[in-house]
Amino acid sequence: RAKIDEMSATELQTPAEKIVKASPFEQTEGHVVSVNKQLTRYGGNQITQTVSQEALTASVRVTQDGRTVRLDLESLTAEAVSAAYKKLNVLLKALPKAKELVEVLAPGANYTDPKRKLPAMPSAQFAADTIQKAAALAKTNGLETSGIYSIEQKVTAYSNSKGLRLFDQVSDSEFSC
């Protein structure tokens, strides 16, 4: 699998579309998200922990006969998608019909800009250097600091049975001391 900042719309859109194509239901939404997180914790003017995590998650939402339900997928294999649809069918039969039901969105022209790219993910060394500068400033002034430095990048693909295809990239960072 490609690194999150190198992932293209196609790499995430393809599994989202496969989820939708495998559906036996009248309306289906496939949602695939790739997340890359880095977190550095510090206390007493020292770095205490640095962790990094990458995750790929997927979910499916279906609507049938006035009922709607969403389920997280265990994986993107054909077997896992098929098993999810069997569970969704059982859940749909157990639910009462909704008085109001949100329809899946129809295609449009301006939902996404596939040319937009995420900025490069800062390195763990960048976070460590930033924290060391903050700790040195605190120590110089007779203070002690603790906090976190976190960075998250998320790439999302969405596909539905009406032909809508969305792709979005988001990055977020937090530094507290």
Side-chain angles (χ1 to χ4, degrees):
R1 187 162 79 84
K3 293 181 87 165
I4 190 169
D5 56 347
E6 298 169 355
M7 293 187 91
S8 69
T10 304
E11 288 175 290
L12 283 181
Q13 201 70 58
T14 299
E17 289 177 9
K18 285 182 179 178
I19 291 167
V20 172
K21 286 179 183 173
S23 175
F25 300 101
E26 58 189 51
Q27 290 186 20
T28 304
E29 297 173 349
H31 190 237
V32 179
V33 180
S34 182
V35 179
N36 184 356
K37 297 179 183 181
Q38 292 181 8
L39 173 67
T40 303
R41 292 185 173 100
Y42 60 101
N45 294 339
Q46 295 182 39
I47 293 174
T48 57
Q49 181 183 35
T50 299
V51 293
S52 180
Q53 175 186 20
E54 285 192 34
L56 183 69
T57 62
S59 66
V60 61
R61 182 178 84 107
V62 298
T63 300
Q64 186 81 28
D65 298 326
R67 297 169 177 92
T68 189
V69 67
R70 176 181 293 281
L71 184 69
D72 289 336
L73 297 172
E74 293 180 18
S75 75
L76 290 171
T77 65
E79 295 80 19
V81 172
S82 178
Y85 283 130
K86 288 176 184 172
K87 289 177 188 175
L88 288 165
N89 193 41
V90 171
L91 290 168
L92 284 169
K93 289 177 180 176
L95 291 174
K97 284 191 176 187
K99 292 179 183 173
E100 291 184 35
L101 197 61
V102 177
E103 296 282 325
V104 297
L105 299 171
N110 298 311
Y111 286 114
T112 187
D113 179 5
K115 295 177 185 167
R116 190 180 73 160
K117 297 287 182 197
L118 282 172
M121 186 83 152
S123 68
Q125 186 60 51
F126 178 81
D129 292 345
T130 302
I131 290 167
Q132 288 173 352
K133 287 177 188 176
L137 181 62
K139 194 172 185 179
T140 299
N141 289 287
L143 302 171
E144 188 173 291
T145 186
S146 62
I148 63 164
Y149 187 102
S150 69
I151 304 161
E152 178 178 283
Q153 291 183 324
K154 186 184 296 186
V155 181
T156 301
Y158 171 91
S159 184
N160 76 24
S161 53
K162 289 190 176 181
L164 179 62
R165 307 291 179 261
L166 300 174
F167 178 75
D168 192 28
Q169 298 175 319
V170 178
S171 62
D172 186 31
S173 63
E174 176 185 354
F175 177 57
S176 63
C177 60

